[in-house]
Amino acid sequence: MNNIETFSNIPHILANGTEWYLGLSACVDGGTKLYGVSGRAKRPGVFELPLGTSLGVILNECAGGMQDGYKLRAFLPGGASTAFLGAEHADIIMDYPTPEKAGSRLGTGLAILLDDKTSPIGMIRNLEHFFAQESCGWCTPCRDGLPWVERLLIAIEEGRGTPEDIERLHDAARLIGPMGRTFCAHAPGAIAPLASGLKMFAEDFQRMVSKSTPGTVESGAAGQAA
Ligand code: SF4
């Protein structure tokens, strides 16, 4: 089974030929791509553009740029299950190899923006909440590990976290993240924004635990599972 974006190209390729389709692209891989922008852009949305269009064009020309009063701090180039890239990559070519060379993935091509006034910890917590809810429950690291990750992030966000909780998040990323530990790519995808965010926003995490009132975060079965 493939996705509907791919299927929707087939009638046009059959009608117009492969050369026509390849010629629509701005890079060696052919065709168009549904790119998107969400977050504090002026006109968030989905835009069909030549594959290989730069994020600068997608964000500034199609989505109208950042909202007034907000700066781009970082972004997930290919949706929730890709790793953060910093604002220095804001004009990155959105083909397959370039985001990989920068340390992330093209993924869905739907960029999620982090602005300079939004907490990266809150953003990652929100993403992990989504992934924990979407787990089908088949594999223990995903079923129990992702809710545990979410609880640790909530504690840090609410000022109850400890430096050890940051270490636990690193451990969870190391243990749940690699492909092959779980039956499908849901868990490794869920860990991508966490693992990259722990590195990119290390100072934010440290600042939150340095002023926190430590509480207890129950690991439950996940402690053994992960
Ligand atoms: S990794 Fe995939 S198969 Fe395993 S519990 Fe998560 S969603 Fe289900």
Side-chain angles (χ1 to χ4, degrees), residues 135-139 142-143 182-184 186-187:
S135 170
C136 80
W138 181 261
C139 321
C142 180
R143 181 191 63 232
T182 51
F183 191 68
C184 83
H186 182 84

Side-chain angles (χ1 to χ4, degrees), residues 170-196:
H170 279 286
D171 287 344
R174 184 171 53 81
L175 293 166
I176 303 172
M179 293 289 280
R181 294 270 171 95
T182 51
F183 191 68
C184 83
H186 182 84
I191 292 301
L194 173 70
S196 56

Side-chain angles (χ1 to χ4, degrees), residues 2-6 32-38 45-49 51-52 55 58 75-83 94-96 99-100 104-113 127 130-131 189:
N2 214 311
N3 69 35
I4 199 164
E5 181 183 2
T6 304
T32 62
K33 177 94 188 84
L34 292 177
Y35 291 110
V37 174
S38 69
V46 177
F47 317 97
E48 184 175 11
L49 296 164
L51 184 61
L55 183 65
I58 300 165
F75 60 99
L76 303 169
S81 61
T82 57
M94 293 284 275
D95 58 7
Y96 291 102
E100 283 212 19
S104 189
R105 290 189 303 118
L106 178 63
T108 60
L110 305 173
I112 304 175
L113 311 178
L127 294 169
F130 162 77
F131 284 116

Side-chain angles (χ1 to χ4, degrees), residues 119 121-122 125 148-170 194 198 201-215 217:
S119 161
I121 299 170
R125 187 261 309 144
W148 184 43
V149 162
E150 185 190 359
R151 287 197 294 276
L152 290 165
L153 288 166
I154 290 171
I156 294 171
E157 192 184 15
E158 292 181 350
R160 294 180 287 108
T162 65
E164 289 75 25
D165 289 335
I166 297 176
E167 291 310 309
R168 290 183 184 107
L169 286 172
H170 279 286
L194 173 70
L198 283 167
F201 311 117
E203 286 182 13
D204 296 75
F205 279 92
Q206 289 297 340
R207 192 166 54 247
M208 285 306 292
V209 300
S210 68
K211 63 181 185 186
S212 72
T213 305
V217 182

Side-chain angles (χ1 to χ4, degrees), residues 113-134:
L113 311 178
L114 172 68
D115 62 80
D116 60 338
K117 296 192 171 104
T118 297
S119 161
I121 299 170
M123 178 177 175
I124 297 168
R125 187 261 309 144
N126 190 40
L127 294 169
E128 298 307 328
H129 173 71
F130 162 77
F131 284 116
Q133 277 199 322
E134 293 298 313

